[in-house]
Amino acid sequence: MMKTVSLTIDDKQIETQAGNTLLWAALDNGIYIPNLCSLRHAAAPAASCRLCWVEVEGKAQPVTACTEIAAEGMVANTRGTQALRLARNGFELLMASHPIECARCAALHVCELLKIAGHLNVKLNKNPYRKLVHHLPIDSSNPLFNYDPNKCVVCGRCVSICRERGTGVLGFAHRGFDRRATTFYDELIGDSACEQCGECVRACPSGALTFKVSVNV
Amino acid sequence: MTTTGVQAIIPAFQELKVCAEAHWKGLWKSGRTVITVGTAACGQAAGALEVLQAFRDEVSKLNLDCRVIEVGCMGHCYAEPIVIISKPGYPAICYGHVNPVIAGTLVKEFVAGDNPCLEFVLGALEKNDLIPSLSEFPRAQYEKKLILKNCGHIDPTDIEQYIANGGYLALEKALRMRPEKVIDEVKRSGLRGRGGAGFPTGQKWEICRNSAGKPKYAICNADEGDPGAFMDRSIIESDPHSVLEGMLISAYATGARQGYIYVRAEYPLAVERVQIALRQAKKLGLLGREILGSNFSFDIKLFQGSGAFVCGEETALIASLEGEAGTPHVRPPYPAVSGLFGKPTTINNVKTLTYVRHIINNGAEWFAGIGTKGSRGTAVFALAGKIVNTGLVEVPMGTTLRQVIFEVGSGIPNGKKFKAVQIGGPSGGCLPESALDLPIDFDSLKKAGAMMGSGGMVVLDEDDCMVEIARYFVEFTQRESCGKCTYCRLGTKQMLEILTDITKGRGKLEDIDMLQHLAEGVKAGSLCGLGKTAPNPVLTTLRYFRNEYEAHVREGRCPSLMCPDLIAYYILPHKCERSCDACVGTCSVEAISPDKKRIKVIDQEKCVKCNNCLVACPLQYNAVVKLSPPGKVPTSKK
């Protein structure tokens, strides 16, 4: 029997397994916290999307829920002003570099970015930041799916899942603003060792990876 | 440790010491002149290798009993190549700006003759009646050399010279202490990490020692990458064994069995000198199995970083060492608990490790007696930028910025006015004149918005545009950001876009507020230290030099006349000399032509603002000026 801890998130008393992070404790209990990069069984949190901010009583600054271990008696608030501001700023930065073409996007009905935008009440067409998008060619070399690197939010889910369940052809490359998920030497996915398991497409939250023919996800 | 182990240490070390001292004495054999040439990277860049060769050629040509040896950097980088000639009967004399011709002259006149060639002298090393000594320089009263003491005075490729000058004595002493006692000594000394953040070193070691997991690792972080910083490079090039000794003591204290020195590959000379030092230390039994006959075994490997600034961040450095891409991870767990390959690991900066031997030799109280309450010991700075005496300085913590810049560094060259000092590189900030009387320590610099950083100090004068400086540093961090986390990847990019617009005269007033908002967001939201500190140059320039931002935006004017898009070159007709054509010939785009009266006029359409005409215009005319905004140029009638 695993030990459990009880804590309060958004005035709701919840219980979770000891060692769980705040993020998964909340998600498992029906409390949504925006997140893109977190994977439940990852050895260590990537903590790279910087969206899952929560305010924890006793801490001066908001913390990322994916890196905070749920502790007995902890009181956390996902709707605090500071936490929401950090989450919104981060999300607006992501959206400023994401082409907004939802109507034409194959991922429209599964898009997690839209879900986060709704949750944070961020207007996609009213971004305070400059529109800075890449203009990279879409890789449609794979018979099963397309990869539009311009829509990539660098969450790394596809990279992790490809290493775990696929052939590991996906990885990160380039620095700074140019960093993105890609293959070794930016080779076309169709020319790589990809075996088309499609796990990366199912994991992608942003519509960068989409199936060519719509399939049941 | 068994008692036999402890007993073996003293005679084993004594043997090395006797041998080294004999070697050192042999070098200074009576009647012989010794010439030392500083061949650290700064010296080599100024031509020290040619000077070295010239000395050797001349000495062998004249068949003199004279040794010519290579040493590291003395810190007076502005006067490189630097040579010290120690001739019996004379004080040791230091010569600056030596070239092969001067080298030949010095050998003929001074080594073979009796003329110390006073015209080339920088200063004598000790007080004497003949020549002013370096200790009488104004800077000497502020300097206190602990970790730079050997630099420029011993041959970094000769371990015996290091041992003869007190080297590895602290290791011998530490090995006879209990590891807990070593940690206690370092803790009580108050030593804080010199890599930038200032974490107490002893505490870090203690956490590592008490953490479960074997083997433990000790890493020396020599991935110095700040623009304008070269302290670590200089120490490694000039005194590599002091770093090894620090690592050995730290490993003994924490229980580490394997060490790594992470040097950036762009420091080839440092890499070479570490390799030589490692080889020599192994040969003498100071590295490897059962060091000095004790039970302590420790080995060090050199690892070359491949040019990523972010790998100076400790978790990224560990990822790089593990063979992964150099991207940072979330802390905690801190490396002292779970670091390299998931094992407890200490990561210390080069300078931090170099202090250790002095603390062990002289005691915690001695070290704690130097500096200020919160920041013990000395601070090492690389002075660069608009300062007369560029180079390395070591001053006690608590010395003011004014003393370092104006006394030690001799102020701003060419009679220009001081504007700001950029401390701590891309993570630091720009402090204005009003901050000059701040004592230098970890906490007061942080309060002012800058940070100690690793010790780069770039001085800026009235010709430097603060917006451009901020843009330069943000461009640097954006290019060097690994891109892993949202805030650093995209926030710095957004900041860079705004700053670029402002320097090009396209900025709007609301951009300044947006910049502030972005900078605060990136600072609060980023994953690692690189992102968290990247906005500092922007935040400090906004705090202290907001008027410059506003001048760019409101008036399209660059107050420092630096931003090319906001200035125009103009030739003052009343100053231009009719018979002179200097500017015409130097203009690369043929934008300058004489009018009917042979007064030269710049075609603003063609001008690419290369600055050539301003440089070419003879000083007695001084007719070319920069105007900002460009609209100030009177419309010319051709």
Side-chain angles (χ1 to χ4, degrees):
Chain A
M1 185 65 188
M2 279 290 247
K3 247 185 85 180
T4 60
V5 292
S6 52
L7 64 156
T8 315
I9 304 182
D10 290 354
D11 300 327
K12 190 175 164 188
Q13 277 280 345
I14 62 165
E15 287 207 346
T16 188
Q17 272 180 15
N20 245 352
T21 61
L22 263 186
L23 178 67
W24 292 102
L27 294 177
D28 289 345
N29 284 281
I31 302 167
Y32 182 67
I33 300 175
N35 70 91
L36 288 171
C37 67
S38 196
L39 290 165
R40 185 186 288 267
H41 300 295
S48 63
C49 72
R50 317 307 286 167
L51 295 179
C52 61
W53 297 98
V54 292
E55 290 172 19
V56 174
E57 239 171 54
K59 290 192 191 251
Q61 303 293 331
V63 294
T64 42
C66 67
T67 58
E68 198 68 22
I69 302 293
E72 183 66 40
M74 196 179 240
V75 181
N77 177 12
T78 74
R79 311 293 305 186
T81 339
Q82 275 185 302
L84 280 180
R85 189 193 300 138
L86 276 170
R88 278 199 190 110
N89 285 350
F91 185 67
E92 282 168 348
L93 280 171
L94 280 175
M95 290 303 95
S97 294
H98 181 86
I100 307 292
E101 43 187 39
C102 304
R104 285 183 284 130
C105 182
L108 175 62
H109 299 293
V110 289
C111 180
E112 283 187 44
L113 302 179
L114 283 175
K115 181 179 176 186
I116 295 171
H119 181 84
L120 293 175
N121 199 15
V122 166
K123 304 267 177 294
L124 291 184
N125 49 2
K126 258 194 179 172
N127 196 305
Y129 303 119
R130 288 162 197 227
K131 200 76 202 168
L132 302 171
V133 285
H134 288 288
H135 298 284
L136 296 161
I138 295 173
D139 180 354
S140 50
S141 60
N142 191 299
L144 186 69
F145 58 84
N146 292 334
Y147 175 45
D148 181 353
N150 306 307
K151 289 187 185 166
C152 174
V153 290
V154 202
C155 68
R157 285 194 201 172
C158 56
V159 174
S160 303
I161 217 126
C162 186
R163 284 184 185 173
E164 191 188 316
R165 298 184 204 165
T167 46
V169 298
L170 290 178
F172 287 114
H174 309 289
R175 280 192 209 169
F177 183 63
D178 296 326
R179 182 175 163 99
R180 61 180 176 273
T182 180
T183 51
F184 190 66
Y185 254 87
D186 288 337
E187 139 186 81
L188 291 173
I189 298 178
D191 296 342
S192 74
C194 169
E195 289 175 352
Q196 301 168 32
C197 67
E199 289 289 344
C200 57
V201 183
R202 278 181 276 270
C204 179
S206 70
L209 288 158
T210 47
F211 287 112
K212 292 196 164 168
V213 188
S214 70
V215 287
N216 288 332
V217 189
Chain B
M1 185 177 294
T2 61
T3 35
T4 48
V6 178
Q7 279 163 359
I9 296 166
I10 302 173
F13 184 72
Q14 205 52 37
E15 201 179 311
L16 290 182
K17 200 166 153 60
V18 166
C19 204
E21 276 167 357
H23 171 80
W24 181 250
K25 276 208 188 101
L27 178 67
W28 301 93
K29 181 178 95 178
S30 61
R32 174 196 277 168
T33 303
V34 178
I35 301 174
T36 64
V37 182
T39 58
C42 48
Q44 293 198 4
L49 291 182
E50 289 78 12
V51 170
L52 179 74
Q53 197 53 48
F55 272 114
R56 290 198 167 138
D57 290 348
E58 197 65 27
V59 164
S60 72
K61 205 166 88 190
L62 300 179
N63 203 14
L64 301 167
D65 179 23
C66 170
R67 287 286 301 275
V68 183
I69 61 170
E70 290 182 59
V71 295
C73 165
M74 274 178 72
H76 295 262
C77 302
Y78 61 94
E80 293 283 359
I82 287 179
V83 171
I84 299 172
I85 301 183
S86 311
K87 184 177 174 170
Y90 289 90
I93 305 174
C94 180
Y95 297 89
H97 302 294
V98 178
N99 60 34
V101 179
I102 298 177
T105 312
L106 285 170
V107 174
K108 273 187 274 234
E109 297 283 324
F110 184 35
V111 182
D114 288 316
N115 174 12
C117 300
L118 295 179
E119 61 272 35
F120 308 125
V121 164
L122 191 67
L125 292 194
E126 61 251 48
K127 278 199 174 154
N128 63 92
D129 301 330
L130 184 66
I131 301 162
S133 77
L134 292 176
S135 61
E136 291 164 65
F137 278 34
R139 66 186 277 169
Q141 62 167 310
Y142 298 100
E143 280 183 300
K144 182 168 181 72
K145 290 198 176 185
L146 305 181
I147 62 174
L148 296 184
K149 199 165 177 218
N150 274 341
C151 298
H153 296 286
I154 61 166
D155 183 347
T157 61
D158 186 347
I159 189 171
E160 299 205 302
Q161 294 196 16
Y162 177 70
I163 296 175
N165 282 282
Y168 290 109
L169 194 66
L171 174 69
E172 184 249 18
K173 191 173 170 191
L175 287 179
R176 289 187 285 115
M177 291 157 71
R178 288 187 25 251
E180 294 83 0
K181 182 81 184 55
V182 175
I183 290 178
D184 182 58
E185 200 72 19
V186 175
K187 265 175 90 176
R188 282 191 300 117
S189 76
L191 177 65
R192 291 171 70 174
R194 297 303 202 255
F199 190 81
T201 305
Q203 202 179 324
K204 191 187 265 185
W205 292 7
E206 190 171 49
I207 296 169
C208 181
R209 176 164 187 83
N210 294 337
S211 295
K214 267 186 181 171
K216 289 177 182 166
Y217 296 100
I219 298 174
C220 168
N221 183 351
D223 192 48
E224 179 181 56
D226 294 8
F230 47 89
M231 305 74 52
D232 297 353
R233 183 195 75 204
S234 200
I235 291 173
I236 294 181
E237 286 174 356
S238 308
D239 196 13
H241 285 285
S242 64
V243 184
L244 302 195
E245 190 174 358
M247 277 186 86
L248 276 157
I249 296 170
S250 84
Y252 174 70
T254 59
R257 286 293 168 269
Q258 178 64 51
Y260 292 90
I261 300 184
Y262 191 104
V263 189
R264 62 196 298 227
E266 296 92 324
Y267 282 178
L269 188 63
V271 167
E272 186 191 315
R273 291 195 172 160
V274 168
Q275 277 164 338
I276 294 171
L278 288 175
R279 221 169 25 236
Q280 292 176 340
K282 268 177 209 166
K283 206 171 152 203
L284 294 190
L286 291 162
L287 258 185
R289 292 188 64 77
E290 296 174 356
I291 290 163
L292 289 175
S294 71
N295 301 355
F296 170 58
S297 300
F298 181 65
D299 205 358
I300 299 176
K301 278 191 190 138
L302 175 89
F303 188 94
Q304 294 188 49
S306 324
F309 176 68
V310 70
C311 287
E313 199 279 340
E314 57 183 17
T315 59
L317 187 150
I318 286 175
S320 169
L321 263 179
E322 287 173 342
E324 298 283 324
T327 54
H329 297 280
V330 67
R331 297 181 308 180
Y334 286 89
V337 177
S338 169
L340 186 62
F341 305 115
K343 305 295 180 191
T345 305
T346 53
I347 302 191
N348 292 115
N349 171 267
V350 171
K351 291 179 290 302
T352 317
L353 289 168
T354 315
Y355 280 110
V356 171
R357 73 186 189 102
H358 298 284
I359 293 170
I360 298 298
N361 276 333
N362 301 311
E365 286 71 26
W366 164 84
F367 188 79
I370 306 167
T372 63
K373 194 158 172 282
S375 308
R376 310 289 188 186
T378 58
V380 177
F381 285 105
L383 293 182
K386 308 284 180 63
I387 188 153
V388 175
N389 295 342
T390 51
L392 277 193
V393 297
E394 184 172 3
V395 292
M397 291 275 187
T399 310
T400 65
L401 284 167
R402 190 185 298 280
Q403 286 164 339
V404 171
I405 295 166
F406 288 93
E407 303 292 338
V408 181
S410 297
I412 319 294
N414 306 323
K416 296 276 182 180
K417 213 169 148 280
F418 170 89
K419 184 185 264 181
V421 54
Q422 211 285 341
I423 304 178
S427 312
C430 295
L431 300 181
E433 186 152 18
S434 61
L436 275 181
D437 291 309
L438 274 182
I440 296 170
D441 63 36
F442 288 101
D443 307 312
S444 64
L445 286 184
K446 204 166 180 184
K447 218 180 280 169
M451 71 182 241
M452 191 76 123
S454 55
M457 197 184 264
V458 183
V459 180
L460 307 169
D461 71 6
E462 54 188 298
D463 292 339
D464 291 307
C465 168
M466 300 315 288
V467 186
E468 170 58 23
I469 296 292
R471 193 204 61 79
Y472 168 81
F473 279 107
V474 172
E475 185 182 28
F476 178 88
T477 34
Q478 161 59 212
R479 208 172 46 221
E480 291 297 337
S481 160
C482 73
K484 182 177 176 177
C485 83
T486 303
Y487 271 103
C488 184
R489 180 179 72 246
L490 301 174
T492 56
K493 180 74 179 171
Q494 293 277 353
M495 278 158 54
L496 179 60
E497 291 288 315
I498 293 177
L499 286 163
T500 307
D501 274 0
I502 296 178
T503 56
K504 287 188 180 298
R506 299 191 298 242
K508 299 188 219 46
L509 263 185
E510 55 268 31
D511 283 343
I512 301 179
D513 295 328
M514 176 55 91
L515 197 59
Q516 179 92 30
H517 166 78
L518 271 166
E520 281 162 8
V522 173
K523 189 172 182 151
S526 291
L527 170 62
C528 84
L530 187 139
K532 281 184 208 293
T533 56
N536 283 351
V538 174
L539 286 169
T540 46
T541 47
L542 277 172
R543 175 165 158 194
Y544 298 115
F545 300 96
R546 198 182 173 94
N547 56 341
E548 291 203 19
Y549 281 87
E550 287 174 356
H552 281 74
V553 173
R554 284 179 199 270
E555 307 164 45
R557 177 172 68 90
C558 174
S560 313
L561 304 173
M562 190 186 188
C563 297
D565 291 284
L566 300 185
I567 59 167
Y569 285 82
Y570 177 63
I571 299 172
L572 298 167
H574 64 280
K575 282 194 171 181
C576 181
E577 166 59 43
R578 295 167 61 183
S579 64
C580 166
D581 267 345
C583 56
V584 179
T586 189
C587 180
S588 52
V589 291
E590 296 180 1
I592 309 179
S593 53
D595 67 4
K596 281 176 204 151
K597 293 181 195 155
R598 291 206 53 79
I599 300 295
K600 268 62 72 186
V601 180
I602 299 175
D603 183 342
Q604 298 296 339
E605 296 283 301
K606 282 189 187 168
C607 176
V608 291
K609 298 164 191 179
C610 66
N611 206 45
N612 278 359
C613 53
L614 195 144
V615 176
C617 185
L619 271 180
Q620 64 265 38
Y621 310 137
N622 219 358
V624 183
V625 290
K626 292 193 268 186
L627 299 175
S628 181
K632 268 191 177 172
V633 175
T635 40
S636 59
K637 21 188 186 2
K638 263 206 164 170

